[in-house]
Amino acid sequence: MGPHPAVADVRRAVRESLADLGRGALVLAACSGGADSLALAAALGFVAPRAGLRAGLLTVDHGLQAGSRERAARVAALAPGLGLDVAEVLAVTVGTAGGPEAAAREARYAALGEAADRLGAAAVLLGHTRDDQAETVLLGLARGSGPRSLSGMAPVAGRYRRPFLDLPRSATVAACRALGLDPWDDPHNDDPRFTRVRVRRRVLPVLEEELGPGVAEALARTARLAREDADALDGWAESAYRNCALSDIPEKVTLSVRELEALPDAVRRRVLRRAAIAAGAPSGALSATHVLALDRLVTHWRGQKAVDLPGGLSALRRYGTLILAISPIA
């Protein structure tokens, strides 16, 4: 008799996600102790030795709740029973920039990245599910974001892999139950102060009730389609950037206005964003408003003054050249 269907699903998802790794590679599961990441860690512990891989567990102590250190230690102590050879607790200090969710995420990824580098890990697995993907798409829609944001979370992003993006959250809960694992329910996941919690607890259920079942699956499918389009446009824009760039050095990028004018809007604006980041603008601070102001220097030129950009940059059009440099532009 084979494993429970949910257990088989999570194991298959992890196995497929790791199929390209060579024997002996180290894979780490980021595990908070919740159902998604606990099912992920258990599936990795089963799959890794059968695929000739080494496996471990990382758990982050954000220090935001009473007893968080002890809880993180209990999660790390699960590793041997799950078949994982490496286990570490990563204590972080969460700042305030961007709000509590963004600050915690930044601290978490910084700690995971440092641990992966130090341990020589080929991949770090994250337990995001199809439901998380649906929430991400809805948040992007509410913010009026473009196709890159609507494409949601990528299955593979550098060293990070998300095997469960095609699985519903109910599968991870069922897998934990079938394996006799007792997930921890983070009270933050029910705190309506967090936007994502309100989307999960209020918005998605209303959509399911009014539009019928399958909304989360449809939103996740939208993310896949949007990602394909965004990847194609980003590839086109990267090639166009090389054609437009007259110079590309730290703190100063110059672009040919004539080359920019020949590009479709979606490609040209990607090129302009790419140029601003190359010149030194922080990507997280560079908004669509900034990019549109740059775009007007190309498409609606009326001799206007320089455009101010994050990171102390200015952009100025001069003699058919768009110059992005640290202020003031010489």
Side-chain angles (χ1 to χ4, degrees):
M1 182 176 174
H4 184 282
V7 174
D9 285 342
V10 297
R11 289 174 176 173
R12 179 174 60 253
V14 169
R15 183 169 57 251
E16 292 174 353
S17 179
L18 303 180
D20 64 313
L21 296 183
R23 296 182 67 84
L26 174 63
V27 181
L28 301 170
C31 183
S32 67
D36 300 339
S37 62
L38 196 55
L40 178 71
L44 176 61
F46 179 86
V47 168
R50 291 162 175 80
L53 302 171
R54 296 177 294 132
L57 176 153
L58 300 174
T59 187
V60 179
D61 173 17
H62 296 87
L64 298 176
Q65 302 173 30
S68 64
R69 179 163 54 177
E70 293 77 12
R71 186 163 47 251
R74 288 196 296 272
V75 172
L78 295 172
L82 297 175
L84 302 170
D85 299 325
V86 178
E88 286 195 14
V89 175
L90 310 176
V92 301
T93 300
V94 177
T96 58
E101 291 175 282
R105 182 170 57 251
E106 182 178 350
R108 180 167 60 253
Y109 277 97
L112 292 172
E114 184 279 329
D117 286 339
R118 174 168 43 81
L119 296 170
V124 177
L125 304 187
L126 306 174
H128 299 113
T129 66
R130 187 171 70 196
D131 299 78
D132 295 307
Q133 187 75 298
E135 294 161 13
T136 300
V137 175
L138 276 179
L139 287 169
L141 285 169
R143 292 165 181 156
S145 302
R148 175 52 68 192
S149 179
L150 297 184
S151 68
M153 296 173 285
V156 179
R159 80 177 97 223
Y160 298 105
R161 303 187 181 206
R162 298 178 174 91
F164 292 169
L165 285 183
D166 288 328
L167 294 180
R169 186 172 291 127
S170 59
T172 66
V173 173
C176 286
R177 187 181 302 118
L179 293 169
L181 300 174
D182 185 21
W184 172 63
D185 291 323
D186 186 345
H188 281 173
N189 290 335
D190 290 313
D191 190 337
R193 290 179 301 170
F194 299 110
T195 305
R196 186 174 286 272
V197 172
R198 295 196 298 274
V199 169
R200 179 180 308 150
R201 301 299 185 191
R202 300 175 185 175
V203 178
L204 270 172
V206 168
L207 290 175
E208 293 275 356
E209 180 179 348
E210 296 296 331
L211 302 178
V215 170
E217 183 177 2
L219 288 168
R221 184 167 59 251
T222 296
R224 286 195 298 274
L225 296 172
R227 187 179 309 111
E228 291 174 359
D229 291 348
D231 287 346
L233 287 170
D234 286 349
W236 185 355
E238 185 61 31
S239 176
Y241 178 80
R242 292 193 292 270
N243 291 331
C244 293
L246 301 174
S247 71
D248 182 356
I249 59 176
E251 300 185 354
K252 187 172 184 179
V253 172
T254 59
L255 304 171
S256 165
V257 170
R258 178 178 295 179
E259 294 287 347
L260 289 169
E261 288 173 333
L263 296 172
D265 292 351
V267 178
R268 183 178 59 254
R269 289 167 186 164
R270 280 170 165 78
V271 170
L272 293 171
R273 178 178 176 81
R274 165 79 165 79
I277 293 171
S283 61
L286 192 65
S287 69
T289 300
H290 293 126
V291 175
L292 288 174
L294 280 175
D295 197 45
R296 284 193 290 273
L297 292 178
V298 178
T299 61
H300 294 81
W301 173 240
R302 299 292 184 273
Q304 57 262 49
K305 64 180 182 179
V307 170
D308 292 328
L309 299 171
L313 293 175
S314 288
L316 178 68
R317 176 167 168 166
R318 181 181 292 166
Y319 304 117
T321 301
L322 190 65
I323 307 168
L324 297 89
I326 297 296
S327 302
I329 297 176

